[in-house]
Structures are given as structure tokens and as C-alpha cells.
Amino acid sequence: METNGVRLTPEQARSALADTEHVRASAAALSATPWPNWFFITLTLYVAALPIVYGGVVADSDWLLPGSAWMGIMLAITAVYLALFAVAGKEWRAKTGVALRFDVLPKRATVPLVVGLPVLLVGAAFAFRVTGRPVWLIAASVIGAAVSVGFHVAFVRLHRKTA
């Protein structure tokens, strides 16, 4: 392989390949970096509020608020969350030049999150509907917030390890 008329030695070629791999790993680390802190807080609050609001939506009778009010709250917090998600993604892309990507995160961590968190958040609301006990909603809120914080910390560590 020649560059500007100069022949590279095998060691130089290996070094160039190693540098290329380092750039790829750095780009992957950047895209695996946690959300901005303000969005991490927003996400944690949303995950904590969702079981309680969804519990109010699926309750047999009016629980604390009328069912239509719970539905309005659910739509409002989801719309705010999605808007802030878009802002966080745009801010991240402007800051790093890399789009937020989930495919670079370890599957052994993301698959349980993608499967388990919805089961927890929605399942608690149905358990509340069946039993009428709000302890299910409170427990799901606390566990969901803890999972959000735990994943944020794990992603921070992942970023530090690969950066």
C-alpha cells in the first residue's frame, strides 16, 4: 500500500489499522454515552410517574381523580417526554456529532430492560386494578426509578471504560 509515493512497512500498516479501530471504538463509546443529565432526570421522573398514572387510567372506579383526568395526564406527560426526547437527541447530535444509538449498547443489559420495564410498569397497574391496593403502583414507581438510575450509572461506566 502506498501513500504519497511512500511505501508503508507492515508495522506502520498495523498501526494505522489500530488507529482506525480506536476511532471506531471511540465513536461507539460516544453514541453509548448517557443522556444529558437534565434528560436523565426527566426520564427517571417519567418512569416513576407512569405506573401511578396508568393505575389511575385502568382503575375500576375513579381513584383520586376521574378516569378522564388520568388519561389527560397520561397523554400530557407522554407528549412532554417525547418532545424532550427529541430535544435531547438533537442536543446530543450537535454536541458530539454522533446520533444517539441503542445498537452499540450491550444486549445482555438492554434486552432485559426493554422486556422487563414495560412488564413492571404495566403489570403493576393491572395488579392494582385486581387488588385495589396502590402498593403495587408505588413499588413499581420506586423500582422503575431505581432501574433508570442503575442503567444511567452503567452507561456512564461503559462510556468511561471505552473512552
Side-chain angles (χ1 to χ4, degrees):
M1 177 176 168
E2 292 189 31
T3 306
N4 296 333
V6 178
R7 191 176 252 317
L8 295 176
T9 67
E11 292 80 22
Q12 290 172 324
R14 282 189 210 97
S15 176
L17 287 173
D19 289 344
T20 302
E21 186 56 36
H22 179 69
V23 169
R24 283 188 190 137
S26 295
L30 278 176
S31 58
T33 303
W35 307 105
N37 284 334
W38 64 265
F39 187 72
F40 156 64
I41 293 166
T42 300
L43 177 61
T44 301
L45 292 174
Y46 179 73
V47 168
L50 195 62
I52 294 169
V53 174
Y54 194 58
V57 169
V58 301
D60 280 336
S61 60
D62 290 346
W63 176 67
L64 302 176
L65 295 172
S68 58
W70 284 116
M71 185 57 78
I73 293 169
M74 174 73 88
L75 293 174
I77 66 172
T78 302
V80 168
Y81 167 75
L82 291 174
L84 291 175
F85 179 81
V87 170
K90 188 174 182 177
E91 182 180 304
W92 183 252
R93 185 175 296 122
K95 179 180 170 186
T96 65
V98 178
L100 288 169
R101 294 176 41 205
F102 296 104
D103 63 328
V104 296
L105 299 173
K107 300 283 186 263
R108 70 184 194 292
T110 54
V111 170
L113 176 70
V114 170
V115 173
L117 198 57
V119 169
L120 172 73
L121 300 179
V122 174
F126 285 110
F128 167 68
R129 181 183 170 118
V130 170
T131 65
R133 300 187 59 181
V135 69
W136 293 102
L137 305 176
I138 295 165
S141 291
V142 170
I143 293 168
V147 167
S148 177
V149 171
F151 269 81
H152 181 74
V153 169
F155 295 154
V156 167
R157 288 183 182 162
L158 174 68
H159 175 68
R160 286 185 185 147
K161 185 175 12 174
T162 57

